[in-house]
Amino acid sequence: MTFATLALVIALGLCGPLLTLRQNSHIPVIVGELLAGIVFGTTGFGVLHTADPIFTFLADMGFAVVMFVAGTHVPVRDPAVRSALGKGAIRAVLVGLLAVAAGFGLARWFGTGHGAVYAVLMASSSAALVLPIIDSLDLRGKPVLALTAQVAIADTACVVALPLVIDPANAGRAAVGAVAVAAAAMVLFLVLRKLELSGRRRRVHRLSEKRAFALELRVSLAVLFALCALATQTRVSIMLAGFAAGLAVAGIGEPRRVARQLFAINDGFLGPLFFIWLGARLDLREFGDHPRLIGLGFALGIGAVLVHLSARVTRQPIAFGALAAAQVGVPVAAVTVGSQLHVLVPGEASAMMLGALCTIAAAALAASRIATVGARPDKRAS
């Protein structure tokens, strides 16, 4: 890693915003970043070397921050969403059960033996992707609350489940590590809650704003990376540490100033760097040796959309079901962790990302459909 390479990575990160310039496209910026990484990485020109330890460490930092921000997007404090948890949970469970059957069926068909991983992938939803789309369309009403609850439940459950299923031989150790990280996050939540109720957090906020200290951001990053250190010591993915820290902050309410500062760090530097690194790490040429895995990628994406559309039996609008199928964090985590543990077969990581891109395309089409026919679905749906 040199300054020239870093400058190239930052410049390539602009491909994300450029790809989404078209208004109402609802294409996540990470799509452009992944494509840029693929072109300049292992698959393409080979300019970016993902084995570089400095590049890898910076990407790990980005992964942690990306998952942290994803955790803060989960609306754990919204009382309206809590009132819709029942219907959201029913739909999440229904989708999860169908995803289990589909996941093991795909694993048997393609002979990879990763049925549990596929089930988690297809059952997952991305709060970090779906909730901004809901806000941009100004969706309101009970169906939206149920959708938000469903996405939050699925996102949280799948993030927790992924480390346990991706390496079954060490699932017990992963479970112990996950409990340790969850306990630390709970302690973090209790401490933050006490500081919030006592008014100390607000006093620190005013001092930080007045003196330009950025104290809350510094503390947030220190706590995040401390949880990541605990995760690595207990041999758990930093994915869980980042997400748990984000949930703890979401539980007491993330200050807007900190949210803006994190947005700058995540979306302006570490996030694009991570996704470019991830794209550069993917080797799409493996599809040439294992063309059947192209079918696996499409099957994962289409399967995820279909199992989410099953919620139609509970009177969920079809467009909302397709929107709930959008995946980002969990497939990215599966590819990152699976590649680090060397448990994926050649071409499988690329297939997982192809599946995720299929769900993003479906969600973008669903969002466009909602925007076209009207943001508010049939009032009879719930």
Side-chain angles (χ1 to χ4, degrees), residues 13 61 209 253:
M61 290 176 59
E209 187 174 20

Side-chain angles (χ1 to χ4, degrees), residues 107 110-114 117-118 166 282-283 286-287 289-290 292-294 296 334-335 338-339 341-352:
F110 289 95
T112 61
H114 291 150
V117 176
Y118 299 162
I166 201 163
L282 295 175
D283 187 1
E286 291 177 339
F287 279 151
D289 299 325
H290 308 278
R292 291 182 71 246
L293 292 187
I294 298 176
L296 173 62
V335 170
S339 299
L341 296 176
H342 305 289
V343 296
L344 303 179
V345 302
E348 193 174 12
S350 299
M352 290 179 179

Side-chain angles (χ1 to χ4, degrees), residues 254-299:
E254 183 183 30
R256 291 183 180 180
R257 188 160 177 261
V258 177
R260 290 194 297 268
Q261 292 168 338
L262 278 173
F263 171 81
I265 292 176
N266 180 55
D267 291 57
F269 177 43
L270 289 176
L273 185 146
F274 166 68
F275 287 112
I276 289 170
W277 173 86
L278 181 63
R281 188 170 185 171
L282 295 175
D283 187 1
L284 299 186
R285 296 177 183 178
E286 291 177 339
F287 279 151
D289 299 325
H290 308 278
R292 291 182 71 246
L293 292 187
I294 298 176
L296 173 62
F298 283 113

Side-chain angles (χ1 to χ4, degrees), residues 42 52 97 116 125 145 151 160 171 191 247 258 295 310 341 346 350 356 370:
T42 304
D52 185 314
L97 291 175
S125 295
L145 294 176
V151 169
V160 173
V191 171
L247 285 178
V258 177
S310 68
L341 296 176
S350 299
I370 294 171

Side-chain angles (χ1 to χ4, degrees), residues 2-378:
T2 64
F3 281 116
T5 304
L6 188 59
L8 174 62
V9 170
I10 300 302
L12 291 176
L14 295 174
C15 293
L18 288 174
L19 190 65
T20 61
L21 282 179
R22 183 173 174 270
Q23 226 173 7
N24 297 325
S25 64
H26 303 294
I27 301 174
V29 295
I30 70 164
V31 174
E33 294 160 359
L34 285 170
L35 293 176
I38 290 171
V39 171
F40 284 84
T42 304
T43 301
F45 300 128
V47 176
L48 300 177
H49 304 288
T50 57
D52 185 314
I54 298 177
F55 195 7
T56 300
F57 183 69
L58 289 173
D60 284 342
M61 290 176 59
F63 186 32
V65 174
V66 165
M67 295 308 299
F68 177 76
V69 173
T72 63
H73 277 85
V74 179
V76 294
R77 297 182 73 246
D78 192 333
V81 173
R82 288 200 295 268
S83 68
L85 281 178
K87 180 147 287 191
I90 291 173
R91 288 172 177 166
V93 170
L94 172 63
V95 170
L97 291 175
L98 293 175
V100 169
F104 279 92
L106 288 179
R108 183 179 180 85
W109 180 265
F110 289 95
T112 61
H114 291 150
V117 176
Y118 299 162
V120 171
L121 290 179
M122 287 191 284
S124 69
S125 295
S126 174
L129 176 60
V130 176
L131 299 188
I133 292 177
I134 290 175
D135 291 338
S136 69
L137 295 176
D138 192 28
L139 299 180
R140 296 290 185 270
K142 290 183 179 179
V144 179
L145 294 176
L147 171 65
T148 303
Q150 174 190 350
V151 169
I153 292 169
D155 198 6
T156 304
C158 290
V159 167
V160 173
L162 182 62
L164 305 179
V165 302
I166 201 163
D167 188 15
N170 296 303
R173 184 186 66 191
V176 172
V179 169
V181 170
M186 179 57 68
V187 171
L188 171 63
F189 166 72
L190 294 175
V191 171
L192 292 176
R193 186 168 180 268
K194 184 175 181 179
L195 292 174
E196 183 71 23
L197 293 176
S198 67
R200 294 176 184 173
R201 203 278 305 167
R202 286 186 292 275
R203 290 196 293 271
V204 170
H205 172 78
R206 287 193 293 268
L207 173 64
S208 177
E209 187 174 20
K210 181 179 180 180
R211 302 289 299 276
F213 286 157
L215 292 177
E216 293 163 305
L217 176 64
R218 298 181 192 220
V219 172
S220 297
L221 292 177
V223 169
L224 168 62
F225 294 137
L227 275 181
C228 290
L230 174 62
T232 55
Q233 289 295 319
T234 55
R235 299 187 179 182
V236 175
S237 170
I238 58 177
M239 166 198 68
L240 186 58
F243 195 77
L247 285 178
V249 171
I252 57 99
E254 183 183 30
R256 291 183 180 180
R257 188 160 177 261
V258 177
R260 290 194 297 268
Q261 292 168 338
L262 278 173
F263 171 81
I265 292 176
N266 180 55
D267 291 57
F269 177 43
L270 289 176
L273 185 146
F274 166 68
F275 287 112
I276 289 170
W277 173 86
L278 181 63
R281 188 170 185 171
L282 295 175
D283 187 1
L284 299 186
R285 296 177 183 178
E286 291 177 339
F287 279 151
D289 299 325
H290 308 278
R292 291 182 71 246
L293 292 187
I294 298 176
L296 173 62
F298 283 113
L300 286 172
I302 296 171
V305 174
L306 291 177
V307 297
H308 279 85
L309 290 181
S310 68
R312 180 59 182 165
V313 301
T314 65
R315 301 180 65 192
Q316 183 181 54
I318 292 178
F320 278 19
L323 190 58
Q327 307 169 359
V328 177
V330 174
V332 165
V335 170
T336 305
V337 177
S339 299
Q340 290 171 343
L341 296 176
H342 305 289
V343 296
L344 303 179
V345 302
E348 193 174 12
S350 299
M352 290 179 179
M353 291 311 303
L354 176 59
L357 292 176
C358 289
T359 66
I360 291 172
L365 290 174
S368 298
R369 174 65 177 170
I370 294 171
T372 300
V373 302
R376 291 164 182 79
D378 187 347

